[in-house]
Amino acid sequence: MSRTKTIKSPSSLDHRYVHEDVGYGLVPIAALGALAGVPTPTIDALVQLASLAVRVDYRRDGLTLEKLGIAGKSPAELLKFVEDGA
């Protein structure tokens, strides 16, 4: 006898899991990659697809380098900031 198990999951993509993971996870990772000159094509595609699916501009509304207070820093400046806190 086979028993089917279900997984408790959100009923739509318009859910905090998606909003948080994309806007506050993938967006800053992609931005830090761009800052360091590291391509993030898969992350970029996921951000774009999620943005289209839920009609949210995650690149604008997510956790940007500006919101983190590190916009305009060079990779060397960012490393100094991480190591020294200044």
Side-chain angles (χ1 to χ4, degrees), residues 13-33:
L13 291 175
D14 188 16
H15 191 273
R16 74 176 181 90
Y17 293 165
V18 173
H19 298 303
E20 290 173 4
D21 289 353
V22 176
Y24 293 90
L26 297 180
V27 167
I29 289 171
L32 289 168

